[in-house]
Amino acid sequence: MRALFMTGVVSVLATGCSLTVAGGLDECETSADCESDQVCVQQFCLPLPAGCLADPYGSTEADAIRMGALFPLHTSPEPGASLDESDVQGLNAALLALDEVNQRTLNGKKIALFFCDTGSSKDVAEKQARWLVDDKKVAAILTAGSSQTLAAADVTIPAGVLTMSYSASSPELTVKPDTNGGSVGLLWRTSPSDAIQGSVIANLLRTRSDLFGGTIPSKVGILYVEDQYGQGLSNIISEQLNTGPTRVANRTFLYQRGGDVKVVLDSLDMTYDPDVTVLIGFADDATAILKEASTRTNLKRENGHRWFFSDSVKDSTVLADSLAASQARAFYGTAPAQGTGQAFSTFSARFNDKYKKDPAGYAYTSNAYDAMYLLALSASYSLSTTNAVTGVKMAEALTRVSSGSSSTNTQLTNSNFTYLAAELAANRPINVEGASGPLDFDSNGETRAPVELWQVGDSGFVTIASNLEPPQ
């Protein structure tokens, strides 16, 4: 298994490869006929898709079970783009699970995980997904982020390939058609829908004066990134604040990912002057926003303005910048809660041992770990029942991991993997609790999870509560 991903390969993926065709191309029938940094496309050897690795993580055996992974390790596809630390640690969590599964094998087979860095681009993700499906013939793809997952699903669903996301939270995934004419959906996620997080945030804003200096905010600004994630979460928060017996005045403001935030902050500052601003954005943008906001009169903390953060801001990158950290310190945010059982304890200890980092310091690490384990369990079921691994049979297996009785709830740990795989192979339903909590999937391939409340401390993120639920 490779060492920690960021130590060597990241710089290669940042530069990528062009798909421009030059003269003197070699002919081929499959990618095995090409050089290690090439793939066979329409019988010619061409460079790998930008951001993709030629060799897989895990097994390199010819009969390995092929899966793909699309992670946004960089904030853009452009050379020199900065790292997205949360997704780097998400990859590490998935690779930890992959290593543990391959130590045990699936009916004598291991998993080969073909990897691509999407550079946080849905267009790049779609092209990479097509390569994974058409060239690598993967049965499933593990994805991150709402917009990139939806783009990949446009490729995978028609091909009968299972898509599992560990951090896509947009409500759009709930309603996306994904059966491809069959009876089982092919789009799943271990992260809960933002319908849950958004309702929790709105409820905190109108009921928890202790989070906002002792006063319920009378004006809330909602500053969101312009993509499916930002649109979905901002809409839910605004709608919730506009309904019910206790309504809170609010206004939404959008910004472009990686763009200049000065104009939108001017508008937020001078035309609205909120008591609290909910920031829905990724770590690199959050850092830029907090620094720029420190120069705006009505957005300064010393003048009474307060921030409230969404899950994607829970990233050490924000704290690495001294000015951004000082602007964020003592303010609060939410994220899907980590698990509280043995599965999380086992994962946390092993992750810390391997990577020397606390996985609770990042959003969605435990979700990535669980997602990889679920893909392995579902592949084992597919092999046991049909002697092949297909997306449809893997999806069928996932309908059986939350259908056992409560008395048979089993922790999804490395030591329980073989038992759980055997139960599924014997056509017995199971009920599992992962590192991210109970994996109780509904008919839409979604799991419901509580929300945690965290605070920006002097040297990291501090969990204040881990069991918040939307109001009934």
Side-chain angles (χ1 to χ4, degrees):
M1 185 152 180
R2 292 174 176 81
L4 179 61
F5 185 79
M6 14 177 340
T7 59
V9 182
V10 165
S11 59
V12 176
L13 290 180
T15 58
C17 297
S18 170
L19 288 177
T20 302
V21 178
L25 294 178
D26 292 329
E27 294 185 351
C28 58
E29 293 184 2
T30 69
S31 293
D33 299 327
C34 302
E35 299 295 329
S36 60
D37 61 347
Q38 296 177 321
V39 292
C40 187
V41 179
Q42 295 181 347
Q43 297 185 316
F44 288 98
C45 291
L46 299 178
L48 277 168
C52 297
L53 297 180
D55 297 323
Y57 286 103
S59 177
T60 57
E61 297 171 2
D63 66 343
I65 299 167
R66 294 186 166 213
M67 298 185 190
L70 299 174
F71 282 55
L73 294 194
H74 287 87
T75 56
S76 88
E78 299 301 319
S82 58
L83 282 171
D84 187 317
E85 181 68 18
S86 286
D87 284 300
V88 169
Q89 301 312 323
L91 173 61
N92 284 337
L95 294 181
L96 176 62
L98 176 66
D99 190 31
E100 293 172 355
V101 167
N102 278 347
Q103 289 173 14
R104 290 157 176 82
T105 76
L106 287 68
N107 291 27
K109 295 182 182 291
K110 297 182 179 182
I111 296 173
L113 187 67
F114 291 91
F115 177 82
C116 297
D117 176 2
T118 67
S120 304
S121 166
K122 64 179 182 180
D123 293 333
V124 171
E126 182 176 354
K127 293 175 183 177
Q128 293 169 338
R130 198 165 301 282
W131 173 69
L132 290 170
V133 170
D134 294 344
D135 188 85
K136 292 305 175 186
K137 309 298 183 186
V138 299
I141 294 180
L142 177 59
T143 68
S146 297
S147 62
Q148 294 151 78
T149 297
L150 288 165
D154 287 338
V155 176
T156 57
I157 292 172
V161 171
L162 177 73
T163 298
M164 170 73 78
S165 179
Y166 71 88
S167 65
S169 55
S170 170
E172 289 185 40
L173 273 75
T174 305
V175 297
K176 185 174 181 63
D178 66 342
T179 61
N180 194 33
S183 59
V184 183
L186 293 166
L187 181 57
W188 296 71
R189 55 179 166 185
T190 54
S191 55
S193 167
D194 275 333
I196 298 174
Q197 183 183 192
S199 296
V200 168
I201 291 175
N203 191 52
L204 292 172
L205 286 165
R206 59 186 171 198
T207 64
R208 292 287 299 272
S209 61
D210 58 308
L211 304 181
F212 309 108
T215 304
I216 296 295
S218 59
K219 291 173 67 178
V220 173
I222 305 173
L223 180 58
Y224 68 94
V225 62
E226 175 68 333
D227 68 1
Q228 284 100 328
Y229 160 63
Q231 293 164 6
L233 185 51
S234 66
N235 288 341
I236 292 165
I237 297 171
S238 180
E239 179 182 355
Q240 292 287 317
L241 292 178
N242 289 332
T243 58
T246 306
R247 303 186 183 189
V248 179
N250 66 93
R251 180 176 165 187
T252 59
F253 299 80
L254 67 86
Y255 73 89
Q256 301 297 328
R257 178 77 193 271
D260 190 341
V261 297
K262 294 179 180 179
V263 173
V264 68
L265 288 178
D266 283 341
S267 182
L268 181 67
D269 172 40
M270 294 184 290
T271 70
Y272 193 63
D273 183 18
D275 303 314
V276 174
T277 299
V278 180
L279 176 52
I280 304 169
F282 299 97
D284 55 324
D285 290 328
T287 300
I289 287 168
L290 289 168
K291 292 168 66 176
E292 187 65 32
S294 70
T295 68
R296 302 300 199 278
T297 301
N298 294 322
L299 302 181
K300 290 183 177 181
R301 62 183 305 145
E302 56 265 33
N303 291 338
H305 178 265
R306 294 175 178 273
W307 294 95
F308 194 92
F309 305 115
S310 71
D311 51 298
S312 53
V313 183
K314 190 182 181 185
D315 188 306
S316 63
T317 302
V318 177
L319 304 183
D321 186 283
S322 59
L323 179 54
S326 69
Q327 294 301 303
R329 191 162 292 120
F331 294 144
Y332 296 89
T334 57
Q338 307 278 0
T340 57
Q342 184 58 44
F344 177 74
S345 298
T346 300
F347 159 66
S348 181
R350 287 184 55 78
F351 189 96
N352 206 312
D353 286 345
K354 188 174 183 65
Y355 303 115
K356 311 305 178 189
K357 292 181 181 291
D358 178 6
Y362 306 88
Y364 298 113
T365 49
S366 59
N367 302 85
Y369 183 78
D370 287 346
M372 190 69 245
Y373 259 107
L374 288 173
L375 289 178
L377 278 176
S378 59
S380 178
Y381 170 83
S382 184
L383 267 178
S384 300
T385 54
T386 65
N387 202 33
V389 178
T390 67
V392 172
K393 292 301 289 187
M394 290 177 70
E396 181 181 302
L398 292 173
T399 67
R400 298 168 176 262
V401 303
S402 55
S403 54
S405 67
S406 59
S407 62
T408 60
N409 191 308
T410 304
Q411 297 290 309
L412 186 55
T413 61
N414 46 23
S415 58
N416 285 335
F417 176 79
T418 301
Y419 161 75
L420 290 169
E423 289 294 286
L424 284 174
N427 211 26
R428 288 189 287 266
I430 59 177
N431 200 32
V432 297
E433 179 173 341
S436 62
L439 295 168
D440 296 327
F441 290 110
D442 62 19
S443 59
N444 291 316
E446 299 189 0
T447 183
R448 184 179 181 87
V451 174
E452 69 173 16
L453 175 69
W454 49 268
Q455 186 178 32
V456 182
D458 292 335
S459 58
F461 301 100
V462 181
T463 300
I464 305 299
S466 59
N467 59 349
L468 302 181
E469 296 275 0
Q472 298 299 315

